[in-house]
Amino acid sequence: VSFPWQKREISNFDYLMYLNTLAGRSYNDYMQYPVFPWVLADYHSETLNLTNPHTFRDLSKPMGAQTVERKRKFIQRYNDVEKNLSAQCHYCTHYSSAIIVASYLVRMEPFTQTFCSLQGGSFDVADRMFHSVKSTWESASRDNMSDVRELIPEFFYLPEFLTNANHFELGCMQDGTVLGDVQLPPWADGDPHKFILLHRQALESDYVSAHLHHWIDLVFGYKQHGSAAVEAVNTYHPYFYGDKMDLNNIKDPLIKSTILGFISNFGQIPKQV
């Protein structure tokens, strides 16, 4: 059987939105917001070459395994579980959470207020705020062991979230940079509309169309949990698997509230589709 997506009758964007909806993700729930993949690995070139495979992120691997060194460290963490962690997993943080969504959209209301309320009433330290597409990619794919975040749909259609049109005082970084609009890759020429246009072209490119099913397996499919997830370096803290935990059978109210708080703060694995 050939499905409409395989026959290119619907776009990659529409297919991902469809899968998110099937998996219970919704714009109405920051804790289960639609999740989209990083598709590019090139945020430094002057022009974007969508015919070069090296332009793209490896969609067959989760964000924690994008470099050999990073993958090795997360496997080591998984194997060292008896020594220091309460649960055996590769990742104690998640690729999608309320704070990740609000941090991406912090320059737009009502997300500004949401972000501040999640942060205890104010903006975060400037150096930790979303300020550059390139540095966020480097953090999530290489540099920061507690950052495995993916993207949200807005990265593929909404240029407005990249500009500080409301002139919020987002603070000043340690190197003296005042936070304003999001810093874009050179190939976007400082134009949020051009960034969105090229980023959407990348999502719909032949390379991503040929490899997107690997990422879908990791996030929505059979590599979510079990031995396939272990092999793919794709296991998360047990509390993230909300639908796998029967909260009704947990009698201790403190443990139950801890788990619910954990899920609401740190994210939730989508339902398997």
Side-chain angles (χ1 to χ4, degrees):
V1 178
S2 184
F3 296 103
W5 176 62
Q6 290 172 308
K7 292 191 283 188
R8 298 283 189 97
E9 289 173 2
I10 61 171
S11 67
N12 291 338
F13 182 92
D14 287 341
Y15 187 53
L16 287 169
M17 284 305 298
Y18 173 67
L19 290 173
N20 271 286
T21 304
L22 280 183
R25 314 291 287 190
S26 164
Y27 283 118
N28 300 321
D29 185 350
Y30 292 158
M31 292 178 282
Q32 295 193 78
Y33 207 77
V35 57
F36 268 58
W38 289 94
V39 293
L40 292 172
D42 181 354
Y43 298 96
H44 53 269
S45 298
E46 293 295 325
T47 56
L48 193 61
N49 182 358
L50 297 181
T51 61
N52 181 356
H54 296 295
T55 297
F56 298 92
R57 165 254 179 105
D58 186 342
L59 287 158
S60 69
K61 296 184 175 73
M63 289 304 290
Q66 289 296 308
T67 71
V68 174
E69 176 64 12
R70 187 169 160 92
K71 180 180 177 181
R72 183 189 65 76
K73 285 181 182 172
F74 280 120
I75 292 172
Q76 187 177 346
R77 174 191 281 178
Y78 183 89
N79 293 334
D80 287 352
V81 67
E82 292 82 12
K83 298 172 197 165
N84 54 15
L85 288 174
S86 58
Q88 189 168 34
C89 61
H90 294 108
Y91 314 116
C92 297
T93 54
H94 199 254
Y95 49 77
S96 175
S97 66
I99 194 68
I100 289 171
V101 173
S103 70
Y104 281 144
L105 299 172
V106 68
R107 289 163 179 79
M108 295 172 60
E109 291 288 15
F111 303 98
T112 314
Q113 294 304 316
T114 302
F115 182 83
C116 289
S117 65
L118 288 169
Q119 280 293 127
S122 62
F123 292 120
D124 199 357
V125 177
D127 286 81
R128 289 203 298 257
M129 296 275 286
F130 172 53
H131 65 275
S132 155
V133 178
K134 178 174 181 277
S135 66
T136 303
W137 160 255
E138 288 171 350
S139 170
S141 66
R142 188 186 72 200
D143 297 340
N144 186 346
M145 289 291 283
S146 62
D147 182 2
V148 292
R149 79 188 98 166
E150 293 278 8
L151 299 182
I152 54 175
E154 284 83 351
F155 272 86
F156 301 94
Y157 68 82
L158 190 71
E160 287 77 13
F161 87 97
L162 298 164
T163 62
N164 187 20
N166 292 318
H167 306 293
F168 292 119
E169 293 187 12
L170 301 171
C172 187
M173 292 170 64
Q174 286 182 330
D175 65 5
T177 305
V178 177
L179 259 58
D181 296 347
V182 175
Q183 293 169 13
L184 302 174
W187 45 258
D189 297 326
D191 181 352
H193 290 84
K194 184 171 182 181
F195 172 82
I196 295 292
L197 176 70
L198 291 173
H199 204 216
R200 183 66 173 264
Q201 285 177 4
L203 178 64
E204 303 300 341
S205 66
D206 289 342
Y207 179 91
V208 171
S209 297
H211 295 86
L212 188 57
H213 63 284
H214 295 303
W215 184 84
I216 290 167
D217 286 340
L218 292 167
V219 175
F220 299 108
Y222 78 104
K223 291 183 182 176
Q224 264 191 358
H225 45 77
S227 58
V230 175
E231 200 174 317
V233 194
N234 192 44
T235 66
Y236 296 81
H237 192 286
Y239 288 175
F240 293 142
Y241 297 87
D243 61 337
K244 295 279 179 289
M245 303 195 70
D246 189 356
L247 292 173
N248 295 322
N249 284 339
I250 298 173
K251 299 291 181 263
D252 188 324
L254 185 61
I255 294 175
K256 186 183 263 191
S257 68
T258 301
I259 293 172
L260 287 170
F262 198 94
I263 291 167
S264 66
N265 284 312
F266 298 110
Q268 196 171 344
I269 301 285
K271 290 189 185 76
Q272 188 173 352
V273 296

